[in-house]
Amino acid sequence: MVGKVIRILTTLLAIPLSIGTARAIVPLLGTACVAYATSAAIPTDRQVTDLPFSCSRAPRPRNIRWTWLRIAPEQLRSLPRGWRLQVDQTRFDRVMLITVTQDGTVRHTTRSWSDLADIGTPGGVLTFPIADAGTSIRGMYLGFDKVDDLSLVRSITGMTSMEAARTRDRWLILMGLFSGTLLSAFAYNVMIDRGRRFPFQRWYLAWIKIALVYGLAWSNVGGVLFPGLVGPLVVCIDYILVGALVAAGGMFFLSLVEDRLLPRWLQLAGRCLAWTGLVVGLLGATKDLLFPAILMDRLLNFAVMASAIMAFMGIAYAIRRGSRVVWFYVIGWGPVIAIFALRVLRNLGLFPQGDALDIAMFAALAFEAIILSLATSDRFRALCNELELARQSREWGLIEAEKMRSAALTDPLTGLGNRAAFQNTLQGFVASGRDTPFTLFLIDIDHLKDVNDRLGHAAGDAMLCHIATRLAAVAAKGGAIAVRLGGDEFAIVAAEGEDQSTRIENELMLIQGAMWRHGEERRALSLSIGSARCPRDGREPDLLYRNADLALYQAKRLGRSLHHRYDAMLRTLLEVSTTFASDAEVAMQRQEFLLYLQPIVDLRDDSVIGYEGLLRWQHPKHGLLIPSQFADILVEERIGPRVQDHVLDIALRLLRDHGGDIRRLSVNFTSAQLSGPVAAKRVLARMAHFGVSPNALCIEVTEGVMLGRAADGVVGTLHALHDAGVRIALDDFGTGYASLSHLRQVPVDTIKIDRSFIAALERASDSAEEIVRAIIGLAHGLGKDVVAEGVENEAQMNILLELGCRYVQGYRFGRPNPWRGASPEPIAMSATGA
């Protein structure tokens, strides 16, 4: 199809040349002489013939109204009767044709710019019929009133009526093919995608519409459909359409080439040239209103040339950077740009006038429409593929994002939500309605460290997963949400009122004590639980969490394996504890901490073998306080270690000054004093500073210190101190989870039986005596001393003697008192015992 169109157009291009050689077409513009008149009135025949005509084409004077061309009679001699004078369309107010025959007859025709409908002819010309043969014409004069400029007149020709008809038919056929091709291209590009259009498609559709209107207007074919659309009016429209073609063509090229192939400066220059061409075209249509017509015509031609140069530069960049679609542009727009360049040169007077370039221009535009339709189709398919890939990528991205979001909100070990999911859930519950009640449960697994130490971390992970499954089942029954906050910490957020919260609380208590198996091992589950209710205990997520955490801490303080609800007293106690922490700073300076000593007695001879230092605080406002009333400050991260170091210094000072009477002093240590790589060196350095022998100090630690989260560091420190001669005592034995394996791992010299077992020795119904007997037997079997705490009467002492316990401590042998020389007297000191 494309080949046929090209052959037809090529044939059409060749016709005028062959006929021109037979003198059927006579060019008249090049041999015409010119004269000018300043009067606006229509001149008489005599006035015209008497004008001083010049054949040298001198510069046009200023303030000219009429421009006259005298056509050489000898050029007309080959033309028969009824020939046609065809004049290129230009802008003027009036046109006048005067013919003088050999016999002196004068014929003249005058037309205004709006009275040209019947002489407009396809091919962009005005046709004047001439009845006389060329041989009978003595003179012919063609005048224009207020014409733009003669240099803008493309051609003036004489041709036979038959050749004029052929030329008209050729233009009609050409413009029919041209219009059909552009309309087909337009329809194809409209139908290629009826949905969202890409910018290059919109610019190309705009360009096709402008080119179609331009071709119909310039060629006067539009005058067939709209009579009167000829002459100067068409020229004004042509200026606008050429500027619009420059703008649409430039923007089409910039949007057609693949993204990021053209440099930014070239894109900016191309846009500027596009819109400059449109502006110049609009100004050119004003006909001397703002600027001279010849100037605007030249500027428009320069804009076309500059746009062509920009296009060639863009093509070079795009080809160098591997563009595929630009080759379609080169094939389609190459001929158009080349012919436009030749037309510009012709308009500038550097190339001969004639129809050939104009016919070639419209042929090239038709060819370009076909080629660039293929280009837009190819680009459209490429972009559709890119969009499809982008859509698939977005879908995969959404899937991956959902997976990542799920992973970001999921605990990898248990499959429950993690801390981020907990925060989102808690905020969502609060945001859903501040007056909608719900309960927050915080849950800690007791003694998970012991499971990790005894059975390994795989067993600890298995216990976490087991409890997570139990908690998830508890939460799922009522639409609650269970999450793992990290480590051994879990949370459940339960809404729907008191019934739901009570149900969850009851089911959590059923987990307490339930047996868990791992291989051959069996353990009883123990959970410390704290809860807070919204809005009663807090309306903000952070406050609600802190209050639930206070309740959880209280559950641990009360012995673990239980649930404690938040109440305002916990906050009060926290505030008191905070106040005590502030007071402790001053208390150390004022020596308000006191060490009360309680003797440890050997039952065989009632001799005192040493003392335990029990901390007291002589508070100026609250009086004498025991450690349970200010225990929080001893484990507080900032002030706790400083108080403990202060206590150790005073204890060592007491041993330095009264070591001979005291013999050995037992002091309770916290995990903060014993954790860290230099903890043992620090204690030994303080002892060396005071000149105290290591065997004069006994460090007492509870099972909680020995089995806590810093257990590994604590055990290492105890080994180092024990190797240096410091004695180690395990306090409150029997109340926790210390086992035989722990006694083998930790360098314990003395086991102290908790006072709760001693107090129950007199009750026959209890099994305390068997437990105490077992502890004593275990200690003696391991070669360790045993001290019974809390011995208050003779009966307890006698039972202990029968069970083989040698060392005791309690009110039966002496209450804690300040150290006074040979007996206890006030001295500033601190320890954590009661």
Side-chain angles (χ1 to χ4, degrees):
M1 180 63 186
V2 175
K4 292 181 179 179
V5 172
I6 293 175
R7 285 195 296 274
I8 292 172
L9 297 177
T10 304
T11 303
L12 290 171
L13 288 173
I15 290 174
L17 299 178
S18 62
I19 294 177
T21 57
R23 302 299 292 174
I25 301 175
V26 180
L28 304 174
L29 180 63
T31 58
C33 298
V34 182
Y36 302 99
T38 60
S39 175
I42 297 177
T44 64
D45 302 339
R46 183 69 179 214
Q47 288 174 331
V48 173
T49 57
D50 290 342
L51 287 173
F53 285 91
S54 172
C55 298
S56 63
R57 296 295 175 92
R60 178 184 177 181
R62 293 184 180 182
N63 302 319
I64 294 301
R65 283 297 302 258
W66 284 89
T67 300
W68 287 92
L69 292 174
R70 186 182 66 191
I71 297 172
E74 58 272 17
Q75 298 293 324
L76 308 176
R77 300 201 182 278
S78 63
L79 295 172
R81 292 176 60 86
W83 61 280
R84 301 289 187 268
L85 177 68
Q86 292 194 340
V87 180
D88 185 27
Q89 296 185 127
T90 186
R91 287 186 297 188
F92 51 78
D93 286 355
R94 288 171 295 185
V95 61
M96 186 174 180
L97 177 64
I98 300 175
T99 304
V100 181
T101 63
Q102 295 290 351
D103 60 5
T105 302
V106 178
R107 297 184 177 92
H108 59 81
T109 302
T110 302
R111 297 289 185 100
S112 69
W113 69 270
S114 59
D115 184 26
L116 303 172
D118 59 326
I119 64 172
T121 305
V125 293
L126 302 176
T127 299
F128 294 89
I130 307 298
D132 302 300
T135 55
S136 64
I137 296 175
R138 187 176 66 188
M140 179 173 283
Y141 303 89
L142 181 64
F144 300 96
D145 180 17
K146 295 186 67 175
V147 71
D148 280 349
D149 194 278
L150 280 181
S151 64
L152 301 181
V153 177
R154 174 173 56 98
S155 65
I156 298 175
T157 58
M159 63 179 62
T160 65
S161 59
M162 182 179 295
E163 183 58 33
R166 290 177 179 174
T167 302
R168 179 198 62 202
D169 292 342
R170 283 196 297 270
W171 274 103
L172 288 174
I173 293 172
L174 175 63
M175 297 314 299
L177 292 173
F178 172 78
S179 301
T181 303
L182 263 66
L183 288 173
S184 299
F186 182 83
Y188 175 74
N189 282 275
V190 168
M191 295 301 295
I192 195 173
D193 177 34
R194 293 186 238 181
R196 173 181 177 273
R197 302 193 186 282
F198 298 104
F200 70 87
Q201 289 178 288
R202 292 196 294 269
W203 282 116
Y204 186 57
L205 289 175
W207 190 91
I208 288 178
K209 289 185 285 187
I210 297 169
L212 178 60
V213 174
Y214 173 71
L216 295 176
W218 185 94
S219 65
N220 279 347
V221 174
V224 177
L225 302 175
F226 302 98
L229 191 62
V230 295
L233 177 61
V234 168
V235 176
C236 292
I237 295 174
D238 287 345
Y239 272 103
I240 298 174
L241 293 175
V242 171
L245 282 175
V246 172
M251 295 304 297
F252 168 71
F253 173 74
L254 294 175
S255 59
L256 178 70
V257 178
E258 295 87 342
D259 293 339
R260 294 182 293 275
L261 289 186
L262 299 180
R264 187 173 181 82
W265 67 266
L266 186 59
Q267 296 182 38
L268 181 61
R271 290 187 177 90
C272 291
L273 284 173
W275 298 116
T276 298
L278 179 60
V279 172
V280 172
L282 292 172
L283 292 175
T286 60
K287 189 181 182 295
D288 293 329
L289 183 62
L290 297 176
F291 302 99
I294 186 63
L295 172 63
M296 299 313 301
D297 184 83
R298 296 296 183 259
L299 288 178
L300 186 58
N301 282 285
F302 290 144
V304 173
M305 290 297 293
S307 296
I309 294 171
M310 182 279 301
F312 280 119
M313 293 177 64
I315 289 170
Y317 268 102
I319 292 175
R320 188 175 63 182
R321 298 187 178 184
S323 172
R324 180 182 66 177
V325 72
V326 76
W327 289 106
F328 288 100
Y329 187 89
V330 172
I331 296 172
W333 278 71
V336 175
I337 293 175
I339 292 174
F340 260 98
L342 292 176
R343 289 188 78 212
V344 169
L345 295 177
R346 182 193 69 183
N347 294 342
L348 295 176
L350 302 178
F351 199 78
Q353 300 287 350
D355 283 350
L357 281 178
D358 300 309
I359 294 174
M361 177 188 70
F362 291 109
L365 288 176
F367 174 74
E368 176 272 343
I370 296 173
I371 296 300
L372 289 192
S373 291
L374 299 177
T376 56
S377 175
D378 180 78
R379 183 80 171 106
F380 175 77
R381 283 194 297 269
L383 286 175
C384 285
N385 291 335
E386 292 176 9
L387 289 177
E388 178 62 20
L389 292 175
R391 184 189 63 79
Q392 294 178 3
S393 177
R394 283 196 304 272
E395 290 180 356
W396 282 108
L398 291 175
I399 294 173
E400 291 298 322
E402 180 60 25
K403 289 182 178 179
M404 293 178 65
R405 189 193 69 82
S406 178
L409 298 176
T410 303
D411 176 60
L413 176 63
T414 64
L416 297 179
N418 58 14
R419 183 176 289 275
F422 166 72
Q423 292 173 346
N424 292 343
T425 300
L426 193 58
Q427 291 173 356
F429 267 84
V430 172
S432 63
R434 293 182 177 275
D435 295 327
T436 303
F438 68 91
T439 303
L440 170 62
F441 294 88
L442 295 183
I443 305 158
D444 267 15
I445 302 176
D446 297 327
H447 314 297
L448 179 63
K449 178 65 169 61
D450 178 56
V451 174
N452 287 329
D453 289 346
R454 290 189 58 199
L455 307 180
H457 286 279
D461 290 346
M463 174 179 274
L464 286 169
C465 292
H466 175 76
I467 292 178
T469 302
R470 297 287 300 268
L471 295 179
V474 170
K477 291 181 181 179
I481 299 174
V483 298
R484 182 189 179 203
L485 300 179
D488 57 0
E489 300 176 89
F490 293 83
I492 292 179
V493 184
E496 302 181 12
E498 292 284 354
D499 293 341
Q500 171 77 332
S501 299
T502 302
R503 180 193 64 78
I504 290 179
E505 179 182 340
N506 292 336
E507 294 195 14
L508 288 177
M509 297 312 295
L510 293 177
I511 299 177
Q512 302 281 19
M515 298 308 297
W516 167 74
R517 293 178 177 272
H518 183 74
E520 299 298 325
E521 295 288 336
R522 299 176 73 242
R523 295 279 301 209
L525 299 178
S526 176
L527 305 177
S528 294
I529 307 167
S531 64
R533 188 169 178 78
C534 176
R536 182 188 62 202
D537 300 329
R539 292 178 177 269
E540 299 296 332
D542 185 60
L543 177 60
L544 192 67
Y545 176 82
R546 286 187 281 114
N547 288 342
D549 193 53
L550 280 177
L552 173 63
Y553 179 71
Q554 185 67 8
K556 292 181 179 180
R557 290 186 60 183
L558 295 177
R560 303 175 186 269
S561 194
L562 54 85
H563 169 228
H564 192 84
R565 298 184 186 88
Y566 172 80
D567 59 70
M569 183 57 67
L570 293 178
R571 178 64 58 185
T572 302
L573 292 176
L574 176 63
E575 292 172 356
V576 171
S577 176
T578 303
T579 302
F580 280 164
S582 300
D583 294 344
E585 190 77 38
V586 179
M588 287 186 288
Q589 300 174 5
R590 296 178 179 177
Q591 300 295 313
E592 293 176 2
F593 289 110
L594 305 176
L595 186 64
Y596 279 39
L597 305 185
Q598 185 176 38
I600 301 174
V601 179
D602 187 342
L603 291 180
R604 293 184 304 176
D605 53 13
D606 291 335
S607 62
V608 176
I609 64 169
Y611 294 85
E612 179 180 0
L614 303 175
L615 179 62
R616 300 293 183 267
W617 184 357
Q618 189 62 56
H619 197 282
K621 180 178 178 181
H622 301 287
L624 189 66
L625 304 176
I626 61 175
S628 62
Q629 295 174 299
F630 59 89
D632 289 344
I633 72 166
L634 301 176
V635 294
E636 200 271 335
E637 293 183 359
R638 184 183 62 84
I639 193 66
R642 296 182 57 198
V643 172
Q644 294 294 347
D645 289 341
H646 177 68
V647 168
L648 178 60
D649 283 354
I650 299 175
L652 294 176
R653 188 180 297 111
L654 183 62
L655 284 174
R656 180 194 64 190
D657 298 339
H658 306 283
D661 296 326
I662 295 176
R663 298 182 182 84
R664 179 178 296 120
L665 181 59
S666 297
V667 180
N668 285 277
F669 271 56
T670 64
S671 58
Q673 289 176 280
L674 298 173
S675 60
V678 297
K681 292 182 180 180
R682 185 170 59 247
V683 173
L684 294 174
R686 298 309 297 163
M687 294 179 70
H689 174 75
F690 285 98
V692 175
S693 173
N695 59 19
L697 179 67
C698 178
I699 293 178
E700 292 193 10
V701 294
T702 62
E703 296 178 13
V705 172
M706 187 174 68
L707 303 179
R709 296 182 179 179
D712 294 338
V714 169
V715 171
T717 300
L718 292 177
H719 273 289
L721 292 172
H722 189 266
D723 293 343
V726 178
R727 292 182 64 82
I728 309 297
L730 181 58
D731 198 12
D732 300 333
F733 186 80
T735 60
Y737 285 81
S739 63
L740 181 62
S741 65
H742 294 122
L743 294 177
R744 294 176 59 188
Q745 295 172 6
V746 181
V748 174
D749 298 295
T750 301
I751 294 176
K752 302 187 75 173
I753 304 174
D754 187 72
R755 64 181 67 250
S756 61
F757 295 110
I758 305 304
L761 285 176
E762 298 177 86
R763 296 195 293 268
S765 59
D766 290 339
S767 58
E769 184 173 331
E770 286 73 15
I771 294 175
V772 172
R773 187 193 308 276
I775 294 174
I776 294 172
L778 174 64
H780 288 169
L782 294 173
K784 303 182 186 300
D785 294 333
V786 180
V787 176
E789 294 184 299
V791 179
E792 298 184 356
N793 55 52
E794 200 76 24
Q796 295 171 347
M797 182 187 70
N798 291 333
I799 294 173
L800 289 169
L801 280 173
E802 292 177 3
L803 296 177
C805 182
R806 178 176 177 181
Y807 303 108
V808 295
Q809 164 183 353
Y811 288 174
R812 167 67 179 77
F813 305 98
R815 292 177 176 272
N817 286 299
W819 182 262
R820 297 184 180 87
S823 61
E825 66 178 5
I827 192 163
M829 189 157 183
S830 173
T832 59

